[in-house]
């Protein structure tokens, strides 16, 4: 539908969107599943990440000029990337990596930031450590494998036979076919765990970690710390998360493992570091399918199928 063009605030850049990346959060948002956490003003233009060109800047913007090519994970309560134009806070944007086209650049921000913030900041992965990543073939997983390798880890992931060649091509050291093998057979040997699947997979991960280590999940149930650290300390949420995560936290305690749910956050400075890794050839961007904007429902349905290998992107004409 036609809506008024967004007007940039003092800290915003106005971007003409050339491509927008899709993520599971887009259909979860549309389904109303994030109502408890996010309360944006409706009606809302969906879409959480984009690549495009700056066509106007707000009064206080310092880092960008008209004509710059930028990419961004936009503010969570703002969204707006599935549109011809979008406003982005300058702190959430970074210059696009050299030699990347808009389609590939739009596939990066949300998934790569999630992987970086989980592995570097929450898990503190060190060279030589053994890292287990569940769900390595998806949008976050394809970045997570490469970032864990960049941090110097030995990486094991789960993938079906449909994703095995892809995860190996990204440098993964060991692959467990989760459709044929129980991951608890991998033995209690891991120093850090990143869960991108949740449910039974997370439960089994507690059995393969060295006691005293940590699992970070972005796909299971949030726990109180995630309300405090990631959602600005909202107390009511913290209490609710305490209740819903009770089972997982008890399971973690019995195994001697620390459990943390992470809500990633937009960050132009983290994105600039990711752009550097891409320019150095340390990080490849895997785009599974590209759709024209007019086919965005098909694109969302594909993401919702849970079978994407790498990322899904819509392009604007
Ligand atoms: N909390 C946060 O801030 C945050 C940020 C980003 C993402 N997330 C969440 O993290 C999850 C992953 O996101 P994503 O973008 O990577 O999703 P995605 O791209 O949709 O993941 C799809 C991939 O997962 C694989 N897969 C499906 N079931 C699996 C299983 N049981 N074991 C191993 N692999 C499996 C699929 O391959 P096969 O079917 O071939 O196995 C497919 O390649 C989602 O739940 C998303 O909402 C949370």
């Amino acid at each position: 539908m036609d809506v008024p063009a967004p007007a940039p605030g003092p800290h915003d850049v106005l971007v003409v969107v050339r491509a927008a990346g899709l993520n599971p959060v887009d259909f979860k948002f549309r389904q109303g599943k994030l109502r408890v956490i996010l309360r944006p003003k409706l009606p809302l233009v969906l879409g959480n990440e984009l690549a495009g060109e700056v066509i106007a800047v707000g009064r206080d913007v310092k880092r960008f000029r008209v004509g710059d090519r930028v990419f961004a994970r936009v503010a969570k309560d703002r969204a707006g990337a599935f549109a011809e134009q979008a406003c982005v806070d300058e702190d959430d944007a970074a210059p696009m990596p050299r030699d990347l086209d808009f389609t590939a650049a739009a596939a990066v921000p949300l998934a790569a930031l999630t992987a970086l913030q989980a592995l570097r900041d929450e898990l503190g992965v060190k060279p030589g450590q053994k890292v287990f990543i569940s769900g390595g073939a998806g949008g976050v997983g394809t970045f997570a494998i490469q970032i864990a390798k960049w941090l110097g880890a030995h990486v094991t992931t789960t993938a079906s036979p449909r994703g095995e060649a892809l995860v190996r091509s990204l440098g993964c050291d060991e692959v467990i076919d989760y459709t044929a093998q129980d991951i608890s057979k991998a033995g209690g040997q891991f120093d850090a765990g990143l869960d991108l699947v949740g449910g039974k997979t997370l439960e089994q991960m507690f059995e393969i970690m060295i006691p005293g280590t940590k699992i970070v999940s972005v796909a299971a149930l949030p726990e109180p710390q995630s309300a405090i650290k990631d959602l600005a300390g909202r107390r009511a949420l913290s209490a609710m998360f305490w209740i819903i995560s009770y089972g997982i936290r008890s399971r973690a305690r019995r195994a001697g493992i620390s459990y943390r749910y992470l809500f990633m956050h937009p960050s132009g400075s983290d994105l600039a570091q990711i752009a550097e890794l891409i320019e150095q050839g340390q990080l490849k961007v895997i785009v599974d399918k590209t759709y024209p904007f007019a086919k965005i429902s098909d694109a969302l349905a594909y993401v919702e199928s849970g079978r994407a290998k790498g990322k899904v992107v819509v392009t604007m004409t």
Side-chain angles (χ1 to χ4, degrees):
M1 63 190 290
D2 287 326
V3 295
H11 294 277
D12 291 338
V13 292
L14 179 63
V15 176
V16 61
V17 180
R18 300 292 183 205
L22 278 76
N23 296 277
V25 69
D26 297 316
F27 66 80
K28 292 178 187 177
F29 209 163
R30 188 199 60 203
Q31 289 165 345
K33 286 191 174 151
L34 303 178
R35 254 187 310 227
V36 177
I37 304 164
L38 294 172
R39 294 181 174 275
K41 263 192 11 221
L42 298 174
L44 177 83
V45 177
L46 293 173
N48 285 285
E49 62 184 349
L50 57 80
E53 277 160 295
V54 174
I55 52 168
V57 296
R59 175 181 79 223
D60 299 332
V61 168
K62 305 246 169 3
R63 293 171 40 238
F64 297 102
R65 285 189 304 200
V66 169
D68 285 350
R69 289 151 58 104
V70 295
F71 67 154
R73 190 276 187 246
V74 296
K76 293 183 182 183
D77 53 358
R78 184 178 221 183
F82 298 157
E84 290 164 314
Q85 296 180 8
C87 284
V88 183
D89 189 304
E90 73 162 332
D91 290 342
D92 298 339
M96 262 173 57
R98 281 188 311 272
D99 301 333
L100 222 56
D101 61 19
F102 288 116
T103 303
V108 173
L110 196 150
L113 286 171
T114 304
L116 182 72
Q117 291 167 4
L119 292 161
R120 180 196 63 187
D121 305 340
E122 289 301 327
L123 289 166
V125 170
K126 303 275 179 305
Q129 286 190 326
K130 295 187 101 178
V131 175
F132 186 90
I133 299 170
S134 61
V140 180
T142 47
F143 287 112
I145 290 168
Q146 300 178 80
I147 289 172
K149 290 303 297 175
W150 169 68
L151 290 167
H154 180 278
V155 180
T156 301
T157 196
T158 54
S160 74
R162 296 178 295 268
E164 181 173 350
L166 171 63
V167 298
R168 285 199 191 280
S169 75
L170 299 172
C172 194
D173 298 288
E174 284 168 59
V175 183
I176 297 176
D177 173 4
Y178 75 91
T179 64
Q181 212 185 332
D182 190 331
I183 63 170
S184 54
K185 304 279 185 301
Q189 54 174 326
F190 292 96
D191 301 292
L194 173 58
D195 170 45
L196 308 176
V197 176
K200 233 180 145 44
T201 301
L202 172 63
E203 277 175 35
Q204 291 177 354
M205 281 175 68
F206 288 121
E207 295 170 35
I208 60 171
M209 304 292 298
I210 297 170
T213 57
K214 183 172 180 181
I215 293 178
V216 170
S217 178
V218 294
L221 292 169
E223 38 69 45
Q225 218 190 338
S226 56
I228 294 159
K229 278 185 83 172
D230 308 334
L231 303 176
R234 283 157 64 184
R235 282 183 179 209
L237 271 186
S238 177
M240 185 195 296
F241 291 172
W242 191 91
I243 295 167
I244 62 172
S245 66
Y246 186 79
I248 296 179
R249 288 183 297 108
S250 306
R251 177 75 190 82
R253 207 175 314 114
R254 283 200 302 279
I257 308 295
S258 145
Y259 171 73
R260 162 98 160 93
Y261 183 91
L262 173 73
F263 291 101
M264 61 78 63
H265 58 273
S267 165
S269 53
D270 282 353
L271 207 47
Q273 180 168 20
I274 288 164
E276 222 176 290
L277 292 179
I278 292 171
E279 288 173 358
Q280 291 165 355
Q282 305 261 17
L283 211 52
K284 280 191 265 181
V285 183
I286 307 299
V287 176
D288 178 353
K289 289 193 188 201
T290 305
Y291 294 80
F293 185 55
K295 297 274 181 200
I296 194 163
S297 318
D298 296 349
L300 265 177
Y302 182 58
V303 173
E304 205 167 342
S305 77
R307 299 279 88 90
K309 300 286 166 289
K311 294 278 311 187
V312 180
V313 176
V314 288
T315 53
M316 310 291 173
T317 46

